C-alpha cells in the first residue's frame, strides 16, 4: 500500500519534467510498482501463512472457509513451549551460535587481517575450501572420532562443528573488509612509535568494528539455522532448534498447528535480529561480490 | 629507514613495556605476526578439513560399515566401481543434483536480475522492499521446509485451495513422484533468489552511469541498453553470484530432508547426492560406500567451480 501512495507522490513532484519524457517512463513506473508489490507478496505471503496456521486450531487449519477469518489461539505456542520444552532448545541454539561465532571471530579476524595485509591468497584458499566441501564428508570422520571419544552430544563438539561454518565466512568477509581499509593510518601509527601489532590492536581493530559486526551477525544466523551438523552431533540435552522441530514432525506429523508454531519459534528470533541489523547483513552477503 | 625512524628494538621496547623477556617476546611476535595471526585459523580449518578428507578417501577404499569394532577390509576401488555402475540410486542422484542446481540457478539469476533492476534506481518505500527481501534469506531452512509442506499439502494446502478457486484440480506437489523435485526447486528459488538480488544490486550500484547515459543519448532504448551495456558489464558479478549460490545449491540438504525425509521420499524422488550420501552414512552406516560417493561429489563440485572460474576469467578480460 505505502509503495503505491509513495510513488504517486513522486510522480506529482516530477510533473514539470514529465512532459518531455517518453510515455515509456510513466508506463515503467506503473509496471515497477505492480512488479514490486508482486515480489513482496511472493516473499512474504508464505511466512504470513505459517504465522496464521500457528494461531489456528487443527480443526480450523482443515477448514477452507476459515483461511483468513478465525478466532486465533495461542494453544499451539503454549503446547510447543511448555510441553515440548522448547525454551531449552532456544537456549541451546543461542549458546552454540554465540560461542561458535565468538571463537571464530577471535581466530578469524587476525587471520583475515594477515591474509589481506600480506596478500596470502593461497592460505586464504585453504580456509575458503571449507565453504566448498560437502558437510557430510566431514561429518563421517568427525562422528567416528567423537563417538570413540564419547563426546557426541556435548556442546564442545557442536560448537566445533558450527565454527567450521562460521570461520570461513568470517575470514571471507573480513578479508574484503580489511582490503578496503587504508593502510596509511596504520603505517603512520608505526612511524609514531607503535609496534605493528600495537597498530593493529589500537588503530585497525577499532576501525574494523562494523566489519566484525557484519561477520559476527551473519555467522550467528548461519549457525542458528544450521541443521545437518546438529542433526548428527547433538544429543538429547544439546539439541538445537532446527533439529528439535524435526523431531516434532517425525512423531506428530499431523499436528500442523503445533508444527507451524514450532517453525515460527525458530524463525522469529533470527528475523528480529535481521531486522535490526539489516545494513550489516546486506554488506556481509555482498562482501567481495562486486570486485569482479 | 629514515633518520626519523628510531631503530626497531627501541620502538618495540617503548610499546612493549619494560625491557626483558616480555620485550623480546613482543619483538619476536611483531616480526612473525603474519603467521602468528594466520596460523591458528589455518591450523583449525586445516586439521578439520585435511584430516577428514584424508579419512574419507581412506574409508572409500574400505568396506567400512560403521561399527567401530567390526574389522574393515581394504577393498581398493571396489566401492567406486559399485557406485559408478549403480544406475538405481547414484546416477539418478547425480542427475537430480545437477537438475536441481541448474534449474534453481537459472530461475534465481533471471528473477534476481529482474528484481535487482526494479530496485536499482531509488524510490520511496525502498526500505520496506529490502526488508521483504531479507526475510526469506534469514528464515531457518528447516522451518521453511515445514512451512512449504503445509502450503503444498494436497488436501489442506493453500496452493490447492487457490487452484480450486479457478477450477484446477488438486495437484500432488511434494507427494507426487514427478512433481516433488520441481516443488523443492520452487522452495529454493523462494529462499535464495533474494541473495542473488542483493549481490546483483551491489554490482549494479557500483557500475558507472556513463556508458548507460552515452547509449541513452545515442537513442538506445531500455532493452538495448540492458542487453548491450548493463548485462555485459554485469557479467563478472553474475558469475560471482552463480559461483556463491551454485556451491550451496549443489549441497542443498535442509529443505530436501525436511520436506521429504530420509532417502528423499519413498521413491527417492528428491534424493540428491548430498541426501544420498547422508543417508548412506547415517541411516545405513555404509561408510565405505558413502565415502566413495562423497569423493565423487566433491570432484563434481570442484569441477563445476573450476569451469565457472575459467568462464569468469574469460569474461573479465
Amino acid at each position: 500500500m505505502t509503495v503505491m501512495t509513495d510513488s504517486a507522490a513522486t510522480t506529482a513532484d516530477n510533473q514539470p519534467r514529465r512532459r518531455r519524457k517518453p510515455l515509456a517512463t510513466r508506463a515503467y513506473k506503473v509496471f515497477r510498482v505492480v512488479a514490486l508489490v508482486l515480489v513482496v507478496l511472493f516473499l512474504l505471503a508464505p511466512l504470513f501463512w505459517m504465522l496464521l496456521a500457528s494461531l489456528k486450531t487443527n480443526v480450523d487449519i482443515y477448514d477452507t472457509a476459515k483461511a483468513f477469518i478465525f478466532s486465533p489461539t495461542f494453544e499451539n505456542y503454549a503446547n510447543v513451549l511448555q510441553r515440548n520444552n522448547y525454551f531449552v532448545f532456544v537456549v541451546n541454539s543461542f549458546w552454540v551460535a554465540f560461542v561458535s561465532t565468538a571463537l571464530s571471530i577471535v581466530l578469524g579476524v587476525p587471520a583475515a587481517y594477515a591474509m589481506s595485509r600480506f596478500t596470502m591468497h593461497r592460505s586464504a584458499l585453504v580456509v575458503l575450501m571449507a565453504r566448498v566441501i560437502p558437510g557430510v564428508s566431514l561429518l563421517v570422520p568427525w562422528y567416528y572420532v567423537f563417538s570413540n571419544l564419547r563426546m557426541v552430544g556435548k556442546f564442545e563438539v557442536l560448537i566445533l562443528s558450527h565454527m567450521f561454518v562460521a570461520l570461513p565466512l568470517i575470514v571471507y568477509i573480513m578479508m574484503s573488509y580489511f582490503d578496503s581499509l587504508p593502510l596509511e593510518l596504520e603505517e603512520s601509527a608505526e612511524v609514531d612509535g607503535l609496534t605493528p601489532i600495537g597498530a593493529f590492536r589500537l588503530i585497525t581493530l577499532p576501525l574494523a568494528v562494523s566489519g566484525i559486526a557484519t561477520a559476527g551477525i551473519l555467522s550467528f544466523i548461519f549457525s542458528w539455522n544450521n541443521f545437518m551438523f546438529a542433526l548428527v552431533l547433538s544429543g538429547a540435552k544439546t539439541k538445537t532448534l532446527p533439529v528439535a522441530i524435526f523431531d516434532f514432525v517425525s512423531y506428530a506429523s499431523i499436528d500442523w498447528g503445533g508444527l507451524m508454531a514450532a517453525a515460527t519459534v525458530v524463525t522469529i528470533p533470527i528475523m528480529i535480529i535481521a531486522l535490526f541489523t539489516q545494513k550489516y547483513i546486506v554488506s556481509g552477503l555482498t562482501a567481495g561480490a562486486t570486485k569482479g | 629507514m629514515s633518520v626519523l625512524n628510531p631503530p626497531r628494538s627501541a620502538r618495540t621496547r617503548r610499546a612493549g613495556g619494560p625491557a626483558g623477556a616480555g620485550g623480546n617476546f613482543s619483538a619476536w611476535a611483531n616480526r612473525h605476526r603474519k603467521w602468528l595471526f594466520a596460523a591458528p585459523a589455518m591450523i583449525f580449518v586445516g586439521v578439520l578439513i585435511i584430516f577428514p578428507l584424508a579419512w574419507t578417501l581412506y574409508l572409500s577404499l574400505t568396506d567400512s560399515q560403521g561399527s567401530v569394532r567390526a574389522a574393515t577390509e581394504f577393498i581398493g576401488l571396489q566401492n567406486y566401481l559399485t557406485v559408478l555402475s549403480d544406475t538405481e540410486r547414484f546416477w539418478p542422484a547425480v542427475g537430480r543434483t545437477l537438475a536441481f542446481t541448474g534449474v534453481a540457478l537459472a530461475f534465481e539469476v533471471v528473477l534476481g536480475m529482474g528484481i535487482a533492476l526494479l530496485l536499482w534506481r531509488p524510490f520511496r518505500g525502498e526500505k520496506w522492499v529490502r526488508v521483504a527481501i531479507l526475510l526469506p534469506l534469514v528464515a531457518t531452512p528447516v522451518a521453511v521446509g515445514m512451512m512449504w509442506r503445509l502450503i503444498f499439502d494436497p488436501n489442506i494446502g493453500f496452493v490447492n485451495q487457490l487452484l480450486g478457486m479457478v477450477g484446477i484440480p488438486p495437484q500432488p506437489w511434494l507427494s507426487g513422484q514427478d512433481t516433488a523435485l520441481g516443488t523443492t526447486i520452487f522452495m529454493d528459488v523462494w529462499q535464495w533468489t533474494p541473495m542473488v538480488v542483493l549481490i546483483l544490486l551491489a554490482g549494479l550500484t557500483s557500475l558507472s552511469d556513463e556508458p548507460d547515459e552515452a547509449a541513452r543519448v545515442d537513442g538506445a532504448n531500455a532493452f538495448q541498453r540492458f542487453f548491450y551495456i548493463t548485462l555485459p558489464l554485469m557479467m563478472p558479478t553474475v558469475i560471482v553470484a552463480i559461483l556463491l549460490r551454485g556451491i550451496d545449491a549443489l549441497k542443498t540438504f535442509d529443505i530436501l530432508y525436511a520436506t521429504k525425509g530420509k532417502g528423499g521420499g519413498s521413491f527417492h524422488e528428491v534424493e540428491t547426492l548430498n541426501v544420498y550420501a547422508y543417508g548412506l552414512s547415517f541411516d545405513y552406516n555404509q561408510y565405505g560406500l558413502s565415502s566413495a560417493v562423497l569423493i565423487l561429489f566433491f570432484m563434481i563440485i570442484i569441477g563445476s567451480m573450476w569451469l565457472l572460474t575459467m568462464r569468469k576469467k574469460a569474461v573479465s578480460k
Side-chain angles (χ1 to χ4, degrees), chain A residues 32 42 62 131 137 197 225, chain B residues 30 56 118 140 156 190 251:
Chain A
R32 168 145 107 161
F42 173 66
Y62 279 88
R131 288 272 294 115
S137 62
I197 291 181
N225 287 346
Chain B
N30 274 297
T56 304
L118 288 173
T140 309
I156 60 170
W190 178 84
K251 299 190 298 174

Side-chain angles (χ1 to χ4, degrees), chain A residues 217-290:
Chain A
I217 291 161
L218 266 191
S219 111
F220 187 92
I221 293 175
F222 275 63
S223 166
W224 179 275
N225 287 346
N226 189 294
F227 173 60
M228 194 208 273
F229 288 169
L231 186 63
V232 174
L233 296 174
S234 71
K237 282 186 189 145
T238 56
K239 215 174 269 179
T240 58
L241 274 174
V243 182
I245 344 175
F246 204 77
D247 275 7
F248 199 82
V249 188
S250 45
Y251 50 82
S253 56
I254 323 128
D255 181 10
W256 284 111
L259 184 56
M260 289 303 111
T264 311
V265 170
V266 200
T267 316
I268 293 285
I270 209 70
M271 282 192 173
I272 293 174
I273 293 175
L275 286 183
F276 284 107
T277 55
Q278 281 193 59
K279 193 181 78 183
Y280 296 111
I281 295 180
V282 174
S283 64
L285 287 175
T286 54
T290 53

Side-chain angles (χ1 to χ4, degrees), chain B residues 269-304:
Chain B
E269 55 269 33
V270 301
E271 189 177 69
T272 58
L273 278 175
N274 218 14
V275 175
Y276 181 44
Y278 181 90
L280 276 180
S281 302
F282 295 106
D283 297 334
Y284 301 104
N285 291 343
Q286 296 278 2
Y287 288 119
L289 214 55
S290 92
S291 297
V293 171
L294 282 165
I295 295 291
L296 293 170
F297 183 24
F298 188 48
M299 283 159 67
I300 291 178
I301 297 182
I302 294 285
S304 356

Side-chain angles (χ1 to χ4, degrees), chain B residues 155-223:
Chain B
N155 302 312
I156 60 170
F158 184 64
V159 176
N160 275 347
Q161 288 178 15
L162 213 62
L163 289 181
M165 285 179 210
V166 288
I168 300 172
Q171 304 294 320
W173 304 117
L174 279 167
S175 45
Q177 227 172 284
D178 308 320
T179 47
L181 192 64
T183 312
T184 52
I185 289 175
F186 175 87
M187 297 173 191
D188 194 76
V189 169
W190 178 84
Q191 182 151 40
W192 295 109
T193 301
M195 183 168 135
V196 179
V197 172
L198 291 180
I199 293 173
L200 294 182
L201 193 58
L204 281 175
T205 322
S206 70
L207 284 187
S208 138
D209 271 339
E210 279 159 30
D212 194 62
E213 286 299 324
R216 193 193 290 266
V217 171
D218 289 341
N221 66 32
F223 286 100

Side-chain angles (χ1 to χ4, degrees), chain A residues 2-42:
Chain A
T2 37
V3 181
M4 275 193 242
T5 30
D6 284 349
S7 118
T10 333
T11 319
D13 290 343
N14 290 344
Q15 211 57 51
R17 277 199 299 145
R18 170 145 305 280
R19 222 166 287 155
R20 285 179 30 221
K21 281 194 179 175
L23 193 67
T25 318
R26 185 180 206 132
Y28 176 69
K29 274 198 173 157
V30 175
F31 166 76
R32 168 145 107 161
V33 171
V34 174
L36 284 174
V37 168
L38 287 178
V39 167
V40 170
L41 266 180
F42 173 66

